[in-house]
Structure formats: C-alpha cells, structure tokens
Amino acid sequence: MRAAGILFDKDGTLFDFRASYAPATAGVVRELAGNDALAVRMASLAGFDLSTRVFSPDSVIIAGTAHDMAALWHPFLQQPAETLPFVIDQLFEKHSRECMTLFVQVPPVLSELLQLGMHIGLATNDSEANGRAHLGLAGIDHHFSFIAGHDSGHGAKPGPGMVQAFAAECGILPGAVLMVGDSRHDMDAARAAGAIAVAVATGLATAGELAPHADHVIETLEELLALPGIAAIKKP
C-alpha cells in the first residue's frame, strides 16, 4: 500500500535526544529536588546519571511520560500526586527551550513529504503543549496537521491510540500510515494500530535492537524518502 500519512515521534527522531534532553533532565531534577543529593537519587531512579549526563537504555525518560516519572519521584517530593505530572511537563518545557536540537535533515525531509501530498503528524509521549512548543521553536510546526501528546486523549505509546487518531483525522486507513520513531514503544504503537513501523537509528536504540520490532529500519531520516510506500509516488 502506498503511504498517505507519516506520523513522527519527536525526541530521538526529529530532535537529537542526547543533546536536547541531557541538559533539560538535569535542570528538571535539580529544580524538583532542591538539593544535589536528592537530585542525584531521583535522576538515578529514572535511569539518568546526573554527573555524566548519560541515560541508561531503560530510562523512563526515553519513552515514558510525566506520569511515569511522577510515580518514581512522588515519594521524595512534597508535590501532590495529582498535580506532579503537570509540574514535570512544565519543567521540561522550561528547561528544554534553550537546548532542543533539531536534526539538520528534518526540514528538507518534511518539505519533500508535503510536496508529495503526505499528511504529517506528531505522536509524542511528551505533553501536547511541549510538542507544539518544540516544533514552533524549531520553525517546523507549519508542516504538521496533527499533534498529539500523552495528554491529548488518545493514550500514550505503545498504545495504538495516537496512530488511530491520526489516521481518522486524515481520513486514511491505518495501513497507509508510516509511524516513524527511534524506540520500541513507537514500533509497538504502529503494530498495534495496523500501521507500518519504521525505525530510525538516530536515538539511543541501535538498528539491531529495533529491527525485530520494525517493518523497515533506516539509519537517517533521509532514507525515509526511499521506502517503497513513498518512493512509489515520487515524481520522476
């Protein structure tokens, strides 16, 4: 089936995860904790080494939501459990504004996809507000007709809700959607919705780690344009 819509993950796919989220995470845990000792402990629980600014492969920050982080950190904080996820989302927006690093390949790839008549969407386990803010800061928000976060009412990845909502809004079948992401959560969300799972090895997971869960594996985003569902409709 020819592709009709491309649904992108955000961090690790459009934005360099290490460059963007290592400094942002350091800022968030330090502000939440209020002291260095607690900040180190909270970071470690979330799979982040505060001194080296390195994420463990299973870090909740890589593919989790603010609710997942809140569940880990609430026992150490005075914040009410019901508002802590919202506070975490706000702090990530605050501390990421100056360090979000867009991959250089993204703008030309998005432009070509639009020229091919593709619907383009964003599905992130960040908040919808942060997704919109980051796309706006990078100057690429005008390419996207659909933006969903963990709080948009479609559920979080690896659930199928964001993919299904994107297909429904675009008036296309899920099988005509390419879900492009750098984590297994993205691949599982695509498979659960009946979409095509495209893994891009620009995040923290390797191509080999992602391959068993993906329909296609690409090394960089430019290779997306050569995939069969897209190449078939490219103009000669």
Side-chain angles (χ1 to χ4, degrees), residues 18 20 27 45 50 56 59 76 123 144 167 188 200 202 227:
R18 293 179 182 87
S20 304
L45 279 172
L50 194 57
S56 64
S59 170
F76 306 96
F144 292 80
D188 289 348
V200 57
T202 49
L227 292 182

Side-chain angles (χ1 to χ4, degrees), residues 95-117:
H95 288 281
S96 65
R97 292 187 69 87
E98 302 302 320
C99 53
M100 292 304 295
T101 304
L102 190 72
F103 286 121
V104 296
Q105 305 96 333
V106 171
V109 169
L110 293 178
S111 294
E112 183 157 353
L113 290 172
L114 279 184
Q115 290 173 10
L116 293 172

